[in-house]
Amino acid sequence: MKQRKLGNTSLIVSEIGLGCMSLKSNQSKQSKDIIQKAYENGITFFDTADLYDKGLNEMIVGESVQSFRKHIVLASKVGNLWRADGSGWDWKASKDYIIKAVEGSLSRLKTDYIDLYQLHGGTIEDPIEEIVEAFELLKKQGKIRAYGLSSIRPNVIKAFLSKSDIASVMMQYSLLDRRPEEEISSLLEERGVSIVVRGVLAKGVLINKPIEPFLQYSSGEVAHIVRNLANLSKRIGKDNMIVALSYVLSNAAVATALVGVSTKLQLDELIRAKAQIIKLSDSDKQVLLEGVRSLYYTEHR
């Protein structure tokens, strides 16, 4: 597995990471086996959040990585508080809450430190200076090694860039969602801040899930894009997953692309794709990048 530097930190991450949200909390043994096998096959970046399964996800991840904790980059998120009745959650982005919430995550993850602690959302109305103070304090205390932001909102990202030392921004990015390319990815690259990609397979629509509308695209447009993608994949002798992953990884600002799996079969498919991405020739990569430009022209445009 190729490794990449995360922002301006000393953290090194595998270019494909495991998005742990998809792990099933009611099948803990299978989830633990998936994490173990992912690590054995070169995946060293694992992402979770205190929000997922009301903390159970962090517990499963924490128990699963004990034997190799020092050899991975473990990421979690903060900013959402479950209501007492379990009906939903509320946004909590204050210094006091972040400092308190990290203790719960550390306990559930069975670790003394979190490598990357991310604000799980954010609005321009948030007390950004106060939030940054909390992260900087936790960093000084050794409870986190770096901090980042999970957001697709350009105004929020720019505000944090101007007021903090964030290492990364997690954002949705795929062949069906290229919003990061509009302005943010080049800005982040210029500032030395990495993109942690989520949604790289567009909820599976790019590989094998049923066609459905996606963002500004109708079902018909999505179907046309996926057909064109299949043709492009065939030209370079690969499949849609490899092309979709390779495309986002070709962006210089990207440090890692998270893929969520919930079964051993899905993990096997990801491991196979990872091996093929490493073997992509320069000519294949060129065909891929040139071919992507023609994916989006539908019959009625």
Side-chain angles (χ1 to χ4, degrees):
M1 176 74 74
K2 291 183 179 179
Q3 307 289 312
R4 301 187 179 194
K5 192 168 179 284
L6 186 75
N8 288 319
T9 74
S10 60
L11 299 175
I12 304 297
V13 298
S14 52
E15 66 176 6
I16 296 174
L18 192 69
C20 297
M21 182 179 71
S22 299
L23 297 174
K24 297 176 181 178
S25 59
N26 61 349
Q27 297 179 15
S28 60
K29 185 181 185 305
Q30 175 175 279
S31 296
K32 291 174 184 177
D33 289 345
I34 286 172
I35 290 174
Q36 177 71 38
K37 187 172 182 179
Y39 172 70
E40 290 172 354
N41 283 273
I43 292 176
T44 60
F45 185 76
F46 296 85
D47 177 80
T48 180
D50 60 1
L51 181 68
Y52 303 158
D53 287 331
K54 301 178 181 177
L56 287 176
N57 195 270
E58 283 186 323
M59 291 177 67
I60 289 173
V61 173
E63 292 171 1
S64 303
V65 304
Q66 287 303 295
S67 63
F68 48 86
R69 171 66 186 95
K70 294 182 180 179
H71 305 294
I72 64 171
V73 174
L74 186 57
S76 193
K77 308 182 198 74
V78 65
N80 296 284
L81 175 64
W82 278 98
R83 297 177 194 134
D85 61 5
S87 63
W89 59 85
D90 297 307
W91 180 237
K92 293 280 287 185
S94 68
K95 180 178 180 179
D96 289 345
Y97 178 72
I98 292 170
I99 291 171
K100 178 182 178 181
V102 75
E103 300 299 337
S105 287
L106 289 169
S107 176
R108 289 186 291 270
L109 290 167
K110 296 182 182 298
T111 186
D112 295 327
Y113 64 96
I114 296 170
D115 296 289
L116 179 64
Y117 203 37
Q118 303 153 103
L119 185 68
H120 202 174
T123 71
I124 201 65
E125 290 80 25
D126 289 333
I128 295 176
E129 291 88 350
E130 181 182 318
I131 292 169
V132 173
E133 284 178 8
F135 283 131
E136 288 289 350
L137 177 60
L138 295 177
K139 192 174 174 182
K140 185 177 180 180
Q141 292 174 340
K143 294 179 180 179
I144 67 174
R145 296 179 66 189
Y147 60 94
L149 175 68
S150 177
S151 177
I152 193 65
R153 299 174 178 176
N155 60 342
V156 175
I157 294 170
K158 289 176 182 178
F160 271 88
L161 285 176
S162 67
K163 299 177 181 180
S164 73
D165 189 27
I166 55 172
S168 61
V169 177
M170 179 182 287
M171 61 178 69
Q172 186 169 297
Y173 182 28
S174 73
L175 287 169
L176 284 177
D177 185 358
R178 296 173 63 186
R179 286 176 293 174
E181 297 174 8
E182 294 172 3
E183 59 173 323
I184 291 300
S185 66
S186 57
L187 177 60
L188 293 177
E189 183 186 0
E190 178 186 315
R191 299 290 184 86
V193 175
S194 291
I195 294 176
V196 174
V197 176
R198 65 177 178 84
V200 65
L201 300 178
K203 299 180 180 178
V205 172
L206 290 173
I207 49 174
N208 55 18
K209 293 292 178 67
I211 298 297
E212 60 182 34
F214 197 92
L215 294 179
Q216 76 271 28
Y217 298 115
S218 67
S219 293
E221 290 173 322
V222 170
H224 188 84
I225 292 168
V226 173
R227 283 196 300 272
N228 285 347
L229 176 59
N231 291 333
L232 173 60
S233 300
K234 187 176 181 180
R235 283 175 60 193
I236 60 176
K238 306 299 179 185
D239 61 28
N240 284 13
M241 179 184 285
I242 293 168
V243 173
L245 283 164
S246 297
Y247 179 74
V248 299
L249 290 172
S250 70
N251 188 316
V254 171
T256 184
L258 297 174
V259 179
V261 302
S262 58
T263 67
K264 293 180 181 179
L265 178 60
Q266 290 174 344
L267 179 63
D268 289 340
E269 292 173 349
L270 178 60
I271 291 169
R272 177 193 55 77
K274 177 263 298 182
Q276 292 296 312
I277 289 168
I278 292 173
K279 296 177 182 177
L280 274 183
S281 66
D282 290 340
S283 60
D284 284 341
K285 292 176 183 177
Q286 189 61 36
V287 170
L288 187 160
L289 292 175
E290 291 177 355
V292 164
R293 298 170 191 160
S294 63
L295 293 183
Y296 306 94
Y297 294 97
T298 64
E299 297 93 334
H300 48 275
R301 278 187 180 174

